[in-house]
């Protein structure tokens, strides 16, 4: 182990990945019941980065048992909301103190540039914990006047119970925060399964969770594969709710698996988000904004602006502008301070994206920037702009989840709403225009959980995020997410 590590690596990270990492069950770090481990790779080199305990059904059973005990009988349930909130706040502080270390872990395991992890992934996770810490003391029911005289009726909002959380590899730490923050604020207990490609930052976060003073069993972290550990969590009869972020395909499997005990389900799934530029837009911001809409995180964003629609009279100028940005992006190892785009997360993901490029070319699309795998070692793909694309092509219909945008012109502003909405997904959309009336009309008509106007990829812990159509069920972050982790109890008392 440690073979893929460059000399400048952060010393705590070097130490962390030098030992096989264990899983967190009931407040203790343990090996898998089977004794098995699995490798996680450095996508910049393809070499093994670390070995990690491989959780399976038996480990999930142990973790669920611990979470159940912590929920039903532990000190967690007796803790005041204020004490709960203080621990979440402390977790945010601890994470912030270790920003550098987490950015390194994220860069090594996922491939993303260290400098970006430092200013985006880690601070957004810190902010999410702080935002959710505040909610712990503000979860309230209502008093409700009912029609019959002589009654007092009110509602209580109670934690849903033991929650299974399955997260992806594109923002490993941030997705752990999005999931854990609201579950802890509401008083649930958790079994978290990080993605097999990127388990390291969640495991390090587990150490901070213990340091922040969460009682044993409140958070359990079981790394492992989806088909084994993930599936065991989704169909577990003693799990009250499963929260999933990942592919729409697996989202549907989760729904089926959850049917056994009808556990609650929330899903944050794929997207194929339209990014619409009108001729009256400020192109000086729309062009770089649209490049970053697709190329941020190497296109591995569920909300990536992957379908670029541009009004005809400015189409050539915008496409050339975005292509120019694509050509200038410095692709390389995430640890290199000059790198603007790292490798894709895995060989599988690289092959999937290259397969889409070939499919696009075979259907008649042309690349005006990129179009190929890049470099020798590592899972790099060039930032790519495809033109001559048609609505029925696979590259326009399906989520590529890589640095590939399809550009298409439109002539009539009236036609663009149905074209933008012509997708099985509905996660995000963007509109670039100086006409505020048009912008807000579009925002109303686009069938997407988030609409950005003259911007893209703006996230905030206070702003709900989630999908229409096959992009998912429920909203993460903001006030909305509390609904996913609580249920309402109506209490009705005869008082006269
Ligand atoms: P995936 O959906 O298979 O993986 C996401 C998580 O689900 C991982 O933790 C995985 O271990 C788990 N999982 C996989 N199969 C499972 C099962 N049967 N039961 C329970 N859990 C399971 O995504 P994958 O294969 O890594 O990527 C495939 C495609 O999915 C990508 O190309 C992209 O289009 C999409 N995707 C979307 C994401 C999003 O943020 N919406 C994130 C990751 C992938
Ligand atoms: Mg998969």
């Amino acid at each position: 182990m440690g073979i893929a590590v460059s000399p400048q690596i952060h010393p705590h990270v070097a130490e962390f990945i030098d030992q096989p990492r264990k899983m967190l069950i009931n407040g203790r770090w343990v090996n898998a019941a089977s004794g098995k481990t699995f490798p996680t790779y450095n996508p910049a080199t393809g070499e093994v980065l670390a070995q990690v305990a491989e959780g399976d059904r038996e480990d999930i059973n142990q973790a669920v048992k611990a979470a159940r005990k912590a929920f039903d009988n532990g000190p967690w349930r007796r803790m005041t909301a204020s004490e709960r909130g203080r621990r979440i706040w402390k977790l945010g502080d601890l994470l912030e103190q270790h920003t550098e270390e987490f950015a390194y872990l994220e860069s090594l395991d996922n491939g993303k540039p260290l400098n970006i992890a430092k200013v985006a992934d880690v601070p957004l996770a810190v902010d999410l914990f702080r935002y959710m810490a505040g909610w712990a003391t503000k979860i309230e029911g209502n008093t409700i006047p009912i029609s019959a005289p002589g009654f007092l009726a009110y509602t209580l909002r109670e934690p849903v119970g033991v929650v299974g959380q399955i997260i992806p590899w594109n923002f490993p730490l941030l997705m752990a925060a999005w999931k854990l923050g609201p579950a802890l604020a509401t008083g649930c207990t958790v079994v978290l399964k990080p993605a097999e490609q990127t388990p390291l930052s969640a495991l390090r976060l587990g150490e901070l969770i213990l340091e922040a003073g969460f009682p044993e069993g409140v958070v359990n972290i079981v790394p492992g594969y989806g088909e084994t550990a993930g599936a065991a969590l989704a169909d577990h009869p003693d799990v009250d709710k499963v929260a999933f972020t990942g592919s729409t395909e697996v989202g549907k499997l989760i729904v089926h698996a959850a049917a056994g005990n009808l556990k609650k389900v929330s899903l944050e799934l794929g997207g194929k988000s339209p990014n619409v530029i009108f001729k009256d837009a400020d192109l000086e911001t729309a062009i770089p904004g649209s490049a970053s809409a697709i190329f941020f995180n190497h296109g591995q964003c569920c909300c990536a602006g992957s379908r670029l629609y541009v009004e005809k009279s400015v189409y050539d100028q915008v496409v050339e502008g975005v292509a120019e940005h694509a050509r200038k992006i410095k692709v390389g190892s995430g640890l290199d301070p000059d790198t603007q785009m790292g490798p894709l997360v895995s060989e599988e993901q690289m092959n999937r994206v290259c397969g889409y490029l070939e499919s696009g070319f075979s259907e008649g699309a042309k690349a005006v920037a990129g179009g190929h795998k890049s470099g020798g070692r590592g899972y790099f793909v060039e930032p790519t702009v495809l033109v001559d694309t048609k609505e029925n092509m696979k590259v326009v219909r399906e989520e590529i989840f890589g640095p590939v945008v399809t550009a298409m012109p439109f002539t009539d502003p009236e036609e663009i709403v149905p074209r933008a909405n012509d997708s099985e997904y509905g996660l995000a959309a963007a509109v670039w225009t100086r006409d505020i009336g048009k912008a807000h009309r579009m925002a109303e008509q686009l069938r997407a959980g988030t609409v950005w106007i003259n911007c893209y990829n703006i996230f905030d812990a206070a702003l709900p995020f989630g999908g229409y159509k096959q992009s998912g069920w429920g909203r993460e972050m903001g006030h909305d997410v509390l609904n996913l982790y609580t249920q309402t109890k109506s209490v009705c008392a005869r008082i006269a």
Side-chain angles (χ1 to χ4, degrees), residues 38-253:
F38 69 101
T40 177
Y41 298 91
N42 176 347
T45 61
E47 289 166 338
V48 172
L49 181 62
Q51 291 288 336
V52 177
E54 184 185 329
D56 201 340
R57 191 168 287 274
E58 179 51 29
D59 309 286
I60 291 289
N61 285 344
Q62 293 304 322
V64 171
K65 205 189 271 176
R68 184 88 261 162
K69 194 173 78 185
F71 185 78
D72 291 344
N73 308 311
W76 183 237
R77 284 311 292 283
R78 295 188 295 275
M79 208 177 265
T80 64
S82 165
E83 288 172 314
R84 240 176 25 236
R86 280 207 297 275
R87 280 168 176 76
I88 302 170
W89 188 274
K90 180 157 182 207
L91 178 58
D93 282 350
L94 288 169
L95 182 57
E96 187 173 51
Q97 285 157 24
H98 294 86
T99 297
E100 186 85 9
E101 185 187 343
F102 274 88
Y104 260 99
L105 265 181
E106 219 58 341
S107 178
L108 282 172
D109 212 9
N110 164 281
K112 65 180 65 201
L114 172 66
N115 286 336
I116 291 182
K118 237 187 278 186
V119 297
D121 300 65
V122 184
L124 284 169
V126 169
D127 196 52
L128 190 291
F129 284 124
R130 291 194 177 135
Y131 173 84
M132 289 298 165
W135 271 122
T137 47
K138 295 161 198 72
I139 297 165
E140 301 168 337
N142 298 314
T143 51
I144 299 176
I146 64 170
S147 296
F151 290 91
L152 170 66
Y154 59 94
T155 56
L156 299 171
R157 287 209 72 88
E158 298 184 340
V160 79
V162 174
V163 179
Q165 303 186 316
I166 301 171
I167 57 173
W169 42 260
N170 51 345
F171 296 90
L173 172 70
L174 187 59
M175 290 301 103
W178 279 26
K179 291 278 181 286
L180 291 169
L184 295 171
T186 51
C188 294
T189 61
V190 177
V191 178
L192 175 77
K193 192 204 83 66
E196 58 270 32
Q197 295 86 348
T198 55
L200 297 177
S201 55
L203 293 171
R204 180 71 183 98
L205 185 68
E207 296 183 340
L208 300 188
I209 286 169
L210 296 183
E211 203 178 324
F214 290 94
E216 64 182 30
V218 170
V219 176
N220 305 274
I221 305 177
V222 181
Y225 292 100
E227 298 75 11
T228 52
L233 195 53
D235 74 9
H236 202 291
D238 218 16
V239 169
D240 299 304
K241 177 210 162 62
V242 60
F244 172 77
T245 298
S247 62
T248 293
E249 182 191 352
V250 173
K252 291 178 184 179
L253 296 177

Side-chain angles (χ1 to χ4, degrees), residues 17 19 30 51 119 128 161 166 176 225 230 246 303 337 346 352 362 368 404-406 428 441 453:
I17 61 180
Q19 297 293 319
V30 297
Q51 291 288 336
V119 297
L128 190 291
I166 301 171
Y225 292 100
C303 55
S346 64
R352 188 179 284 139
S362 74
V368 290
V404 182
V405 65
T406 61
R441 278 197 306 281
I453 298 174

Side-chain angles (χ1 to χ4, degrees), residues 214-336:
F214 290 94
E216 64 182 30
V218 170
V219 176
N220 305 274
I221 305 177
V222 181
Y225 292 100
E227 298 75 11
T228 52
L233 195 53
D235 74 9
H236 202 291
D238 218 16
V239 169
D240 299 304
K241 177 210 162 62
V242 60
F244 172 77
T245 298
S247 62
T248 293
E249 182 191 352
V250 173
K252 291 178 184 179
L253 296 177
I254 301 281
V255 169
H256 285 286
N261 70 338
L262 286 177
K263 58 175 66 66
K264 314 286 181 267
V265 179
S266 55
L267 304 169
E268 204 262 271
L269 307 174
K272 190 74 184 176
S273 298
N275 181 29
V276 180
I277 302 185
F278 287 98
K279 67 179 182 215
D280 61 9
D282 171 9
L283 297 183
E284 276 181 30
T285 57
I287 290 170
S290 299
S292 119
I294 182 65
F295 299 129
F296 176 63
N297 212 41
H298 327 162
Q300 302 167 128
C301 294
C302 44
C303 55
S306 49
R307 287 186 290 144
L308 176 63
Y309 293 101
V310 188
E311 196 161 353
K312 190 137 193 181
S313 60
V314 294
Y315 177 79
D316 288 343
Q317 186 188 348
V318 169
V319 168
E320 182 43 36
V322 174
E324 184 68 23
H325 272 273
R327 289 180 213 115
K328 282 193 185 142
I329 291 173
K330 199 169 170 311
V331 179
S333 160
L335 293 186
D336 181 338

